[in-house]
Short mmCIF file of all heavy atoms in Angstrom, two decimals:
data_model
loop_
_atom_site.label_atom_id
_atom_site.label_comp_id
_atom_site.label_asym_id
_atom_site.label_seq_id
_atom_site.Cartn_x
_atom_site.Cartn_y
_atom_site.Cartn_z
N TRP A 142 4.88 5.70 36.71
CA TRP A 142 4.10 6.81 36.24
C TRP A 142 4.75 8.25 36.69
O TRP A 142 4.32 9.21 36.26
CB TRP A 142 2.70 6.66 36.90
CG TRP A 142 1.91 5.59 36.12
CD1 TRP A 142 1.59 4.35 36.43
CD2 TRP A 142 1.31 5.77 34.83
NE1 TRP A 142 0.81 3.75 35.45
CE2 TRP A 142 0.72 4.66 34.45
CE3 TRP A 142 1.18 6.91 33.92
CZ2 TRP A 142 -0.04 4.46 33.26
CZ3 TRP A 142 0.56 6.78 32.74
CH2 TRP A 142 -0.06 5.46 32.43
N GLY A 143 5.59 8.13 37.69
CA GLY A 143 6.20 9.37 38.17
C GLY A 143 7.01 9.99 37.05
O GLY A 143 7.26 11.19 36.92
N LEU A 144 7.46 9.25 36.03
CA LEU A 144 8.13 9.63 34.86
C LEU A 144 7.26 9.68 33.64
O LEU A 144 7.34 10.66 32.88
CB LEU A 144 9.42 8.79 34.60
CG LEU A 144 10.39 8.68 35.71
CD1 LEU A 144 11.45 7.70 35.45
CD2 LEU A 144 11.10 10.10 35.79
N SER A 145 6.48 8.59 33.43
CA SER A 145 5.54 8.55 32.28
C SER A 145 4.53 9.67 32.31
O SER A 145 4.26 10.18 31.18
CB SER A 145 4.86 7.20 32.23
OG SER A 145 5.77 6.12 32.09
N ALA A 146 4.03 10.05 33.36
CA ALA A 146 3.06 11.19 33.39
C ALA A 146 3.56 12.44 32.87
O ALA A 146 3.01 13.14 32.05
CB ALA A 146 2.50 11.33 34.77
N LEU A 147 4.83 12.68 33.23
CA LEU A 147 5.54 13.90 32.74
C LEU A 147 5.78 13.79 31.31
O LEU A 147 5.56 14.80 30.59
CB LEU A 147 6.77 14.09 33.50
CG LEU A 147 7.56 15.33 33.04
CD1 LEU A 147 8.03 16.21 34.31
CD2 LEU A 147 8.84 15.00 32.24
N MET A 148 6.20 12.63 30.74
CA MET A 148 6.62 12.55 29.35
C MET A 148 5.42 12.56 28.50
O MET A 148 5.48 13.12 27.43
CB MET A 148 7.47 11.28 29.16
CG MET A 148 8.78 11.28 29.93
SD MET A 148 9.62 12.83 29.76
CE MET A 148 9.84 12.89 28.10
N LEU A 149 4.35 11.89 28.87
CA LEU A 149 3.12 11.88 28.08
C LEU A 149 2.57 13.30 27.90
O LEU A 149 2.14 13.65 26.83
CB LEU A 149 2.19 10.81 28.57
CG LEU A 149 2.50 9.42 28.50
CD1 LEU A 149 1.52 8.51 29.24
CD2 LEU A 149 2.73 8.92 27.12
N ALA A 150 2.62 14.00 29.10
CA ALA A 150 2.07 15.42 28.97
C ALA A 150 2.96 16.28 28.06
O ALA A 150 2.52 17.23 27.43
CB ALA A 150 2.04 15.90 30.32
N ASN A 151 4.31 15.86 28.15
CA ASN A 151 5.26 16.67 27.36
C ASN A 151 4.84 16.59 25.79
O ASN A 151 5.09 17.70 25.07
CB ASN A 151 6.66 16.01 27.58
CG ASN A 151 7.81 16.70 27.03
OD1 ASN A 151 7.72 17.51 26.09
ND2 ASN A 151 8.95 16.62 27.65
N LEU A 152 4.43 15.46 25.35
CA LEU A 152 3.95 15.34 24.04
C LEU A 152 2.94 16.41 23.62
O LEU A 152 2.96 17.04 22.62
CB LEU A 152 3.54 13.94 23.72
CG LEU A 152 4.55 12.83 23.79
CD1 LEU A 152 3.80 11.52 23.67
CD2 LEU A 152 5.52 12.97 22.58
N ILE A 153 2.01 16.45 24.55
CA ILE A 153 0.93 17.32 24.27
C ILE A 153 1.26 18.80 24.49
O ILE A 153 0.93 19.64 23.63
CB ILE A 153 -0.24 17.06 25.22
CG1 ILE A 153 -0.80 15.64 25.11
CG2 ILE A 153 -1.51 18.00 25.13
CD1 ILE A 153 -1.77 15.17 26.23
N GLY A 154 2.04 19.17 25.43
CA GLY A 154 2.47 20.56 25.61
C GLY A 154 3.29 21.02 24.48
O GLY A 154 3.15 22.21 24.03
N THR A 155 4.15 20.09 23.97
CA THR A 155 5.04 20.50 22.86
C THR A 155 4.24 20.95 21.62
O THR A 155 4.36 22.09 21.08
CB THR A 155 5.98 19.37 22.54
OG1 THR A 155 6.91 19.18 23.63
CG2 THR A 155 6.75 19.74 21.24
N VAL A 156 3.35 20.13 21.27
CA VAL A 156 2.62 20.36 20.02
C VAL A 156 1.62 21.50 20.15
O VAL A 156 1.52 22.45 19.40
CB VAL A 156 1.76 19.03 19.54
CG1 VAL A 156 0.90 19.37 18.39
CG2 VAL A 156 2.80 17.94 19.34
N ALA A 157 0.84 21.53 21.40
CA ALA A 157 -0.07 22.70 21.65
C ALA A 157 0.58 23.99 21.62
O ALA A 157 0.11 25.00 21.02
CB ALA A 157 -0.80 22.31 22.95
N ALA A 158 1.79 24.08 22.23
CA ALA A 158 2.51 25.38 22.39
C ALA A 158 2.97 25.77 21.04
O ALA A 158 2.96 26.94 20.65
CB ALA A 158 3.62 25.30 23.39
N SER A 159 3.49 24.78 20.28
CA SER A 159 4.04 25.13 18.84
C SER A 159 2.88 25.60 18.02
O SER A 159 3.04 26.68 17.32
CB SER A 159 4.62 23.88 18.30
OG SER A 159 5.72 23.39 19.03
N ARG A 160 1.76 24.99 18.02
CA ARG A 160 0.63 25.45 17.22
C ARG A 160 0.12 26.78 17.67
O ARG A 160 -0.20 27.64 16.82
CB ARG A 160 -0.49 24.47 17.23
CG ARG A 160 -0.10 22.98 16.95
CD ARG A 160 0.73 22.94 15.71
NE ARG A 160 0.13 23.58 14.50
CZ ARG A 160 0.77 23.74 13.49
NH1 ARG A 160 2.01 23.53 13.36
NH2 ARG A 160 0.15 24.33 12.43
N ALA A 161 0.05 27.10 18.91
CA ALA A 161 -0.36 28.33 19.42
C ALA A 161 0.66 29.42 19.03
O ALA A 161 0.23 30.62 18.72
CB ALA A 161 -0.41 28.26 21.03
N ALA A 162 1.94 29.13 19.00
CA ALA A 162 2.96 30.15 18.64
C ALA A 162 2.79 30.47 17.22
O ALA A 162 3.06 31.61 16.73
CB ALA A 162 4.31 29.64 19.05
N ASP A 163 2.57 29.46 16.34
CA ASP A 163 2.31 29.58 14.89
C ASP A 163 1.18 30.63 14.65
O ASP A 163 1.19 31.35 13.63
CB ASP A 163 2.12 28.36 14.18
CG ASP A 163 3.37 27.58 14.05
OD1 ASP A 163 4.46 28.07 14.37
OD2 ASP A 163 3.16 26.36 13.85
N ARG A 164 0.17 30.62 15.54
CA ARG A 164 -1.06 31.37 15.24
C ARG A 164 -0.93 32.73 15.86
O ARG A 164 -1.44 33.71 15.36
CB ARG A 164 -2.24 30.68 15.77
CG ARG A 164 -2.63 29.50 14.84
CD ARG A 164 -3.91 28.75 15.34
NE ARG A 164 -4.43 27.71 14.38
CZ ARG A 164 -5.36 28.11 13.47
NH1 ARG A 164 -5.76 29.34 13.30
NH2 ARG A 164 -5.77 27.20 12.63
#
Side-chain angles (χ1 to χ4, degrees):
W142 284 103
L144 298 170
S145 294
L147 182 134
M148 297 313 301
L149 293 174
N151 191 329
L152 292 172
I153 301 171
T155 294
V156 177
S159 297
R160 306 314 304 165
D163 286 346
R164 286 180 169 270

